[in-house]
Amino acid sequence: MKKMIITGENKLSGTIPIGGAKNSAVALLPAAILGRGISTIKNVPEISDRDALISILELLNCQVTVHKDELTIDTTNLKNTLIPSNLSNRLRASYYFMGALLGREKYVEIYIPGGCNIGSRPIDMHIAGFKALGADITTDGDKYILKADKLVGTDIYLRFQSVGATINLMLAATYAEGTTTIHNAAEEAEIVNIAEFLNAMGAKITGAGTREITITGVNELHGAEISVLPDRIEAGTYIILGALIGDNLCIKNIIPKHLEALTDKLKEMQANFTISSDSITISATKNLKPCNIKTLVYPGFPTDIGQPMSVLLTQCAGTSIFEETIWENRMGHVPSLNKMGAHITVNGMTALITGPTKLIGQNVVATDLRGGAALVLAGLTAEGTTVISDVEHILRGYENIVTKLTNVGAKIEIVEI
Ligand code: EPU
């Protein structure tokens, strides 16, 4: 068990380099098994979700070499085997082994995935899509068994633009006979990154990044090289931190276009920042205007930046409405923020946040990854010392968070308890 100790109110200046996107990397690693041979994935963030996926790849007899942020995965001697619950439940993205193994091996046995407790998180669209491609799916307690003699391309309509279902079905369909079209596909930049990797392996995918993705099946994929795109959620979290307590804090290695939903809101709030081709420099300013945030699928305001953003809303002069629309349980951080002095009232998936309120350090608990990140931002802004327990949630998605923040002047450490 680890806890994080933060002494707040230190102005942060300098540069925070952004790493590869968690939500892309966690799909690219399982996707590698579709290619027979060696794949190289660059700019992989050093997060605990990466380590969990490497353990699953090794269980499947893939040879994984890690050199800093570069991973080499040799799938030549892949052995298809049951993925047990102690591995699958370490993260949500273990479910990408369903699509990847179904595609390559036409057989998968895997226990239900884990992930943050931010909602009920069904995978019915993944399952319905696999079935539409020709898979027979049974469950045995918490175990899924997926098998197919062959997969056949078809039209799949998603009732919601699900990131996970879009990726999982893209993975499985690469080896299906004929053409698969995913209608109402999610449009996230991460999906483009996965499609680029699969196409570099020899897949035939068009339309990634739009609502309609077409996959023409192939018989063979080979190893390929890909670089993980910059993490827009890590970047967004630190940009918000800059608006809270930055003094020319530069967030570098980003794609500003992927952050437009956030920067538009920061403009509305009259935050003090400038955007260059690959960075944003931001300073704290007084008298931020309140604003209303509604999380939406890409390119709308990202649900994963909603919780960090709620901390900034506590510093705006007036009442803001923060409405979450994707996950029914993304307000777990609010009791901790209120304990620190925020004025937030929650009604279902909507929060009313009235500011500005002075935040005071407290003992708080990270209930999930992005809620935990929100508490880090609050702790760095607050007067006195904040102690966050259950920081393992945060380490699942923010690489080298202590080093990155210490380098810009934060007083933050993680201790074992
Ligand atoms: N949904 C269903 N059925 C399905 C799949 C999804 O009802 O079969 C619902 C979900 O319950 C949710 C909505 O559809 O209400 C969106 O789910 P989606 O499938 O898009 O989410 P995901 O793929 O499970 C990924 C990220 C999340 C991020 C969401 C939305 C990964 C590993 N996770 O989840 O990231 O919030 O997309 O952008 O890529 C995080 O990083 O903190 C995080 C939770």
Side-chain angles (χ1 to χ4, degrees), residues 285-300:
T285 177
K286 293 213 181 310
N287 301 321
L288 285 173
K289 304 278 171 239
C291 78
N292 298 336
I293 307 272
K294 182 174 183 173
T295 65
L296 291 167
V297 294
Y298 190 82

Side-chain angles (χ1 to χ4, degrees), residues 17-344:
I18 296 305
K22 166 180 105 63
N23 288 345
S24 192
V26 297
L28 290 169
L29 267 65
I33 67 172
L34 285 165
R36 291 169 207 271
I38 301 174
S39 284
T40 302
I41 308 179
K42 297 180 172 177
N43 201 31
V44 179
E46 290 177 42
I47 50 176
S48 59
D49 272 11
R50 175 198 72 167
D51 302 334
L53 290 168
I54 291 174
S55 300
I56 299 179
L57 287 165
E58 289 177 340
L59 173 85
L60 296 169
N61 208 36
C62 296
Q63 214 179 347
V64 184
T65 316
V66 183
H67 181 64
K68 294 184 180 161
D69 63 356
E70 186 170 312
L71 253 69
T72 306
I73 303 169
D74 185 350
T75 72
T76 311
N77 299 315
L78 180 121
K79 278 203 195 96
N80 196 1
T81 184
L82 165 72
I83 300 173
S85 63
N86 64 326
L87 287 179
S88 66
N89 74 14
R90 280 172 64 185
L91 77 172
R92 191 76 195 153
S94 55
Y95 62 23
Y96 290 132
F97 284 99
M98 285 183 168
L101 282 172
L102 185 64
R104 176 165 163 170
E105 300 286 302
K106 311 286 177 289
Y107 189 82
V108 195
E109 275 189 66
I110 184 169
Y111 276 84
I112 53 169
C116 285
N117 178 20
I118 51 177
S120 61
R121 308 195 82 170
I123 58 167
D124 56 299
M125 284 188 273
H126 306 232
I127 298 298
F130 294 141
K131 283 185 178 165
L133 289 168
D136 175 46
I137 301 176
T138 50
T139 51
D140 176 7
D142 282 347
K143 184 171 74 171
Y144 284 91
I145 303 160
L146 295 77
K147 54 186 163 193
D149 294 331
K150 61 176 184 177
L151 299 174
V152 180
T154 187
D155 282 282
I156 297 172
Y157 295 85
L158 299 181
R159 72 178 145 73
F160 182 85
Q161 288 183 284
S162 156
V163 173
T166 301
I167 294 175
N168 235 340
L169 297 173
M170 219 164 61
L171 297 178
T174 51
Y175 276 113
E177 279 177 17
T179 300
T180 301
T181 305
I182 306 174
H183 301 272
N184 202 31
E187 299 168 276
E188 269 72 359
E190 288 76 11
I191 290 163
V192 179
N193 206 199
I194 315 306
E196 280 168 357
F197 185 38
L198 296 173
N199 282 340
M201 289 177 175
K204 293 188 177 147
I205 301 174
T206 57
T210 75
R211 279 184 177 226
E212 193 168 292
I213 301 179
T214 302
I215 305 121
T216 305
V218 295
N219 294 324
E220 188 78 31
L221 294 175
H222 49 79
E225 192 175 301
I226 188 78
S227 189
V228 182
L229 87 169
D231 195 322
R232 63 197 166 91
I233 309 302
E234 185 197 21
T237 305
Y238 293 137
I239 290 166
I240 293 165
L241 177 61
L244 283 162
I245 191 135
D247 178 10
N248 282 313
L249 185 67
C250 175
I251 316 302
K252 201 166 168 56
N253 305 340
I254 63 167
I255 300 176
K257 174 122 195 76
H258 294 167
L259 286 152
E260 272 173 358
L262 172 64
T263 49
D264 281 356
K265 282 292 166 190
L266 291 173
K267 270 181 210 149
E268 192 183 322
M269 296 163 85
Q270 298 182 2
N272 176 11
F273 65 103
T274 53
I275 305 178
S276 81
S277 59
D278 74 341
S279 70
I280 288 180
T281 302
I282 184 157
S283 297
T285 177
K286 293 213 181 310
N287 301 321
L288 285 173
K289 304 278 171 239
C291 78
N292 298 336
I293 307 272
K294 182 174 183 173
T295 65
L296 291 167
V297 294
Y298 190 82
F301 194 93
T303 170
D304 298 339
I305 310 183
Q307 289 162 298
M309 190 65 167
S310 67
V311 181
L312 188 58
L313 297 180
T314 70
Q315 302 307 306
C316 296
T319 298
S320 303
I321 303 172
F322 163 45
E323 191 184 348
E324 165 65 24
T325 71
I326 313 288
W327 302 112
E328 59 274 25
N329 189 16
R330 257 204 153 155
M331 300 287 175
H333 63 303
V334 169
S336 291
L337 289 184
N338 281 342
K339 189 176 174 192
M340 295 175 78
H343 288 166
I344 307 178

